[in-house]
Amino acid sequence: LNYWHIPEWDRKTSRDVDCLVGCAMLMRTDIVKELGGFDESVPLYLDDVDLCRQITESGGRIRCVAEANIWHMHNVCCSQAPVAWINHVNFRARYVYLKKYANLLIANCYLILVWFGGLARATVFLLAYSINDKYRSSLIKSFHMLTFPFRYRDGDKFKICPDQK
């Protein structure tokens, strides 16, 4: 995902990678069926990373083909979704991923860090918002960070987009 972290790769040649973004994946159906498909417990925004990890842990390879061109229309599905919902799904995806691949202690430490990060952000952006209202969206995201650890429950089910039934 962060190809700039591979400085020795010129990005003009194909190579094996750890992960690809979901919109750029092309794989055989039998591989997906063998793995059981996407893990439905891992929400949107990290489901592709989780599938890539399952592939590599099962001995498979993920190849980035330099000749392929992908046009990713980022956030088209959720462009009308409330900011609070998008933030919540992002935080939840990271929590579930950490719980799955690290452990519950690390996942809960993540929640604590999110809360303290939200507190620091909220403090800064509350002061900034009192001077200039252009910081309103940053202030709102800060409050989402503050409340996320208290809103998360394992049993919550998330739809791909909030407008789906």
Side-chain angles (χ1 to χ4, degrees):
L1 290 174
N2 295 328
Y3 58 84
W4 53 87
H5 291 300
I6 310 173
E8 72 278 3
W9 182 28
D10 64 3
R11 294 153 195 82
K12 295 177 184 166
T13 57
S14 298
R15 69 172 284 162
D16 287 348
V17 294
D18 293 328
C19 185
L20 291 172
V21 68
C23 75
M25 288 184 191
L26 179 65
M27 65 183 80
R28 294 191 333 251
T29 305
D30 60 319
I31 293 172
V32 178
K33 285 182 180 176
E34 187 178 313
L35 293 170
F38 286 94
D39 182 346
E40 292 186 19
S41 73
V42 179
L44 187 65
Y45 299 122
L46 278 183
D47 53 346
D48 48 2
V49 175
D50 179 63
L51 186 63
C52 287
R53 186 164 183 163
Q54 289 180 57
I55 291 168
T56 56
E57 286 182 352
S58 68
R61 291 174 44 207
I62 300 170
R63 186 104 179 137
C64 182
V65 180
E67 300 81 23
N69 291 309
I70 303 293
W71 181 23
H72 182 209
M73 297 184 67
H74 184 71
N75 277 342
V76 169
C77 168
C78 297
S79 62
Q80 301 300 313
V83 173
W85 182 85
I86 298 222
N87 290 336
H88 187 79
V89 172
N90 270 304
F91 293 136
R92 183 172 192 268
R94 291 180 192 119
Y95 176 81
V96 169
Y97 188 84
L98 287 170
K99 194 166 83 168
K100 181 175 180 178
Y101 290 108
N103 60 48
L104 187 59
L105 176 65
I106 290 173
N108 285 330
C109 286
Y110 166 74
L111 291 182
I112 292 166
L113 289 172
V114 166
W115 188 84
F116 278 112
L119 182 62
R121 281 180 56 108
T123 303
V124 168
F125 287 114
L126 187 59
L127 293 171
Y129 180 63
S130 68
I131 297 167
N132 187 332
D133 64 355
K134 74 177 184 179
Y135 295 105
R136 183 175 188 274
S137 64
S138 297
L139 182 61
I140 290 169
K141 183 172 182 176
S142 302
F143 284 112
H144 295 160
M145 290 173 71
L146 274 171
T147 59
F148 171 74
F150 303 106
R151 288 186 285 147
Y152 179 78
R153 289 178 198 77
D154 271 332
D156 287 351
K157 296 290 181 194
F158 282 83
K159 298 178 241 178
I160 294 198
C161 281
D163 58 349
Q164 290 184 338
K165 304 244 184 233

